[in-house]
Amino acid sequence: MQNHPSAILGQVLAKYPASGGALFQVYNDLTLAQRWSDVQVLDLTACGRAAIKGKRPTTDTDQGPSTCVVVPCSLSESISTSWLRAAFTSLEPSGTEIYVAITTEDTSTVYYKISQGIVKPPV
Amino acid sequence: MSLVNPTSRSKASSKPSARHAETARTYAHPLPIIFPEPTYTFLGLSLTRPLNPHCTALLDPITRSAWVANSGDATILWQRGFFGKGDLSRSEPSWLARQINARKMKGKGLTSEEITAKRRAERKQFKLDRAKAMAAAAAEAEVAFKEEGRVIAPGIAPDGTRIIPSAATWKPTSISVPSEESPPDTPDELQEEIEPIQDLEHLQLSLQEAFFLVWALDCLTVLHPETNEPLTLAEIWNAFQNAHTSSLAPQLALPPPRFDNPFLVSYIAYHHYRSLGWVVKSGVKFCVDYLLYKRGPVFQHAEFAIVVIPVYEDPQDQANSPFKLQNAEPFTWSWLSTINRVNSQVQKTLVLSYITIPAESRVPSKVLSSPACFAHYSVREVVLRRFIPARMRD
């Protein structure tokens, strides 16, 4: 069982206790279950929480793993478009899309991909 | 439809019967407490005691849940009533099994996540093939029109057969999976296998599930995360209501008495459906609060999707409330239609569950010191189905 809080997340959990549960759950899901590599924790002061950036493994052999940013939040919070815009501006240099991870108390996590503007879906 | 043809087998019995018998055996008990067949009876009362597994869980205030670390307890709670969810898995804790599978790289005994991943990869391949075939057929039609001026229907070959694959006829071409061609065991691999993987997963119970097991069934003990002391029922009652405050330690003091505490409102819905025999799980994947299963997720897909709508008996209470309960404000029509559409597409019936919150002016707030306050709430259901007058006459 994971020790709580872990060394990597300890500082961030103390700084933003309200989103601590969601961050902890998403971090475990990405590193242990989804097997993301090069995982770093980013501090988004504008949104009042931390985000996670890492390389997502892919089954396509011709593409390498792509870097994605995940912003966790819990089901009991309400988020607005200004919150999302703040997240995008905080990740300005590379941010074209972010994943919002919504967590529940029974550890179900749903990920939504948010892009800036209208983007045509692939295939 | 001809009355002469025999009716087809129902979907429920299409599972092979050996697997069906095995799941029926594994998930035979609907609750963690087992009532054995009475061996001695006296005046019609059974003298054999029910078997109680006495599981333990640790309260975690940061994730607002109870963790069951012992894998024996976790298996009992999952297999008898589908309580909880593995925190790194889709349903029961299967993370360790998946890691061992990945290490051995054998395809035998795939866990549910791996089966879903395989199905998704096949569907993605089918979509790519279909897109390519459609593009090729369209290009061919263009060429035919330009050169010879004749119009051919794209997608139909000269002899009348379809050349665009459909879901029913497409077969996955054998993609060379790297794992199947791996070289025979090298000494490095043998060394890796000797070192056992530590199980980093636990079974996580939501506060509603944990309280049901503690209070209604009395088969769970909740421990304080720092001292590992078992919490009394009064402490659990206070700590669960205080869980919405973001603190790093459980708050065991009595909370300011409010009938619209989010834990109380969601627990009432959970308790109502569980005590009627339904298996209640989280419905976040379908934009609802709870999903109701008749027997359990392993048997059939959920039939009902519950949206919990709290209704205040006294509007003043809502104005003074420190909580902003979800769905307490009236729904917009667009939002309601969206949820209904999402659920009809997956063949679930949407049920709106209205929980009436008693007025502070009518009911004394000292009833909130114990679960006896549940008697003052009420639950009413409204079933929602889309009605299409033009089409629903056949």
Side-chain angles (χ1 to χ4, degrees):
Chain A
M1 188 166 100
Q2 310 94 321
N3 287 321
H4 195 26
S6 65
I8 306 166
L9 297 180
Q11 263 188 329
V12 182
L13 285 175
K15 189 172 175 194
Y16 303 115
S19 61
L23 174 70
F24 180 74
Q25 192 177 310
V26 172
Y27 185 82
N28 281 333
D29 186 43
L30 293 178
T31 48
L32 297 171
Q34 312 280 352
R35 319 239 86 201
W36 279 31
S37 46
D38 296 342
V39 174
Q40 320 158 13
V41 179
L42 313 169
D43 192 334
L44 300 181
T45 3
C47 307
R49 64 195 63 231
I52 300 171
K53 179 163 116 168
K55 286 212 177 73
R56 174 180 166 196
T58 171
T59 44
D60 297 335
T61 44
D62 50 349
Q63 279 178 26
S66 50
T67 308
C68 309
V69 177
V70 175
V71 184
C73 69
S74 95
L75 194 58
S76 45
E77 298 178 47
S78 48
I79 61 180
S80 59
T81 42
S82 53
W83 187 97
L84 292 168
R85 226 175 293 137
F88 273 114
T89 43
S90 313
L91 304 158
E92 195 56 333
S94 59
T96 49
E97 58 190 29
I98 59 171
Y99 289 82
V100 172
I102 304 175
T103 60
T104 55
E105 288 172 9
D106 79 329
T107 72
S108 304
T109 317
V110 282
Y111 295 89
Y112 283 94
K113 183 163 141 181
I114 314 268
S115 322
Q116 282 180 312
I118 298 181
V119 176
K120 185 168 176 248
V123 177
Chain B
M1 195 164 127
S2 166
L3 294 169
V4 176
N5 293 337
T7 49
S8 56
R9 266 187 341 158
S10 63
K11 275 222 177 115
S13 56
S14 60
K15 224 183 197 169
S17 55
R19 226 175 67 190
H20 199 223
E22 198 200 315
T23 45
R25 235 193 336 266
T26 321
Y27 300 100
H29 302 285
L31 289 176
I33 301 181
I34 302 178
F35 294 91
E37 285 300 312
T39 46
Y40 301 107
T41 55
F42 178 68
L43 293 179
L45 298 170
S46 162
L47 293 178
T48 45
R49 311 186 66 184
L51 299 169
N52 190 325
H54 293 298
C55 308
T56 44
L58 209 67
L59 174 63
D60 183 57
I62 301 185
T63 54
R64 296 178 202 140
S65 55
W67 295 13
V68 180
N70 181 325
S71 62
D73 284 351
T75 312
I76 289 175
L77 289 176
W78 173 258
Q79 285 183 350
R80 304 184 198 167
F82 304 98
F83 290 93
K85 176 182 168 296
D87 77 316
L88 297 171
S89 313
R90 211 178 72 161
S91 51
E92 52 175 349
S94 64
W95 181 80
L96 190 63
R98 276 181 284 144
Q99 301 310 306
I100 294 173
N101 257 0
R103 225 185 227 186
K104 285 185 191 158
M105 288 199 284
K106 284 191 186 121
K108 288 186 264 185
L110 288 175
T111 55
S112 66
E113 285 85 352
E114 286 160 348
I115 295 173
T116 308
K118 191 161 153 238
R119 217 186 291 139
R120 281 185 185 153
E122 283 179 3
R123 179 139 180 90
K124 191 168 157 199
Q125 185 61 37
F126 157 66
K127 282 188 178 170
L128 285 171
D129 286 349
R130 184 178 64 181
K132 254 187 266 187
M134 281 174 70
E140 201 186 304
E142 278 289 319
V143 162
F145 185 68
K146 231 192 300 195
E147 290 179 1
E148 305 160 27
R150 65 183 170 94
V151 176
I152 55 173
I156 312 274
D159 58 358
T161 56
R162 282 176 64 93
I163 53 175
I164 295 187
S166 70
T169 56
W170 181 87
K171 289 268 180 310
T173 52
S174 55
I175 307 160
S176 62
V177 179
S179 59
E180 288 174 7
E181 302 172 351
S182 63
D185 283 347
T186 57
D188 294 333
E189 261 185 53
L190 282 174
Q191 272 186 10
E192 260 184 58
E193 283 184 24
I194 293 170
E195 190 195 304
I197 315 176
Q198 192 199 3
D199 191 6
L200 296 172
E201 191 176 22
H202 60 268
L203 184 85
Q204 188 151 326
L205 300 167
S206 64
L207 295 180
Q208 293 84 25
E209 291 174 323
F211 195 73
F212 185 80
L213 291 169
V214 167
W215 179 63
L217 294 181
D218 193 23
C219 62
L220 184 74
T221 316
V222 181
L223 307 178
H224 193 285
E226 284 150 17
T227 63
N228 272 348
E229 291 293 316
L231 297 170
T232 64
L233 186 61
E235 289 174 332
I236 293 175
W237 178 245
N238 295 339
F240 282 14
Q241 284 183 79
N242 285 325
H244 65 273
T245 57
S246 32
S247 61
L248 297 173
Q251 305 289 313
L252 300 181
L254 195 66
R258 293 274 329 173
F259 283 104
D260 58 349
N261 186 294
F263 165 70
L264 293 180
V265 173
S266 55
Y267 180 72
I268 283 164
Y270 183 86
H271 183 102
H272 177 76
Y273 295 106
R274 261 286 180 190
S275 52
L276 290 172
W278 296 98
V279 171
V280 184
K281 303 298 287 176
S282 156
V284 68
K285 292 184 184 144
F286 300 103
C287 304
V288 295
D289 289 304
Y290 293 120
L291 294 178
L292 297 186
Y293 293 85
K294 233 180 232 156
R295 269 181 89 185
V298 298
F299 295 104
Q300 266 186 316
H301 289 294
E303 216 183 296
F304 296 101
I306 307 286
V307 176
V308 172
I309 304 181
V311 175
Y312 285 86
E313 191 185 325
D314 183 359
Q316 271 297 329
D317 291 342
Q318 189 171 8
N320 300 336
S321 172
F323 310 113
K324 271 213 70 181
L325 290 179
Q326 302 257 356
N327 304 333
E329 303 289 323
F331 265 22
T332 56
W333 268 113
S334 53
W335 186 230
L336 185 64
S337 304
T338 309
I339 300 185
N340 196 18
R341 271 292 200 153
V342 164
N343 284 291
S344 337
Q345 271 186 325
V346 289
Q347 279 124 38
K348 295 192 203 309
T349 307
L350 185 66
V351 174
L352 306 177
S353 187
Y354 290 91
I355 315 261
T356 313
I357 300 176
E360 305 241 344
S361 48
R362 181 176 63 87
V363 184
S365 47
K366 63 175 165 59
V367 305
L368 280 168
S369 55
S370 82
C373 63
F374 292 149
H376 298 277
Y377 294 77
S378 70
V379 182
R380 284 172 296 140
E381 289 105 357
V382 173
V383 176
L384 207 71
R385 263 189 60 193
R386 199 168 149 238
F387 177 65
I388 308 167
R391 272 200 268 152
M392 278 171 160
R393 284 208 54 185
D394 333 313

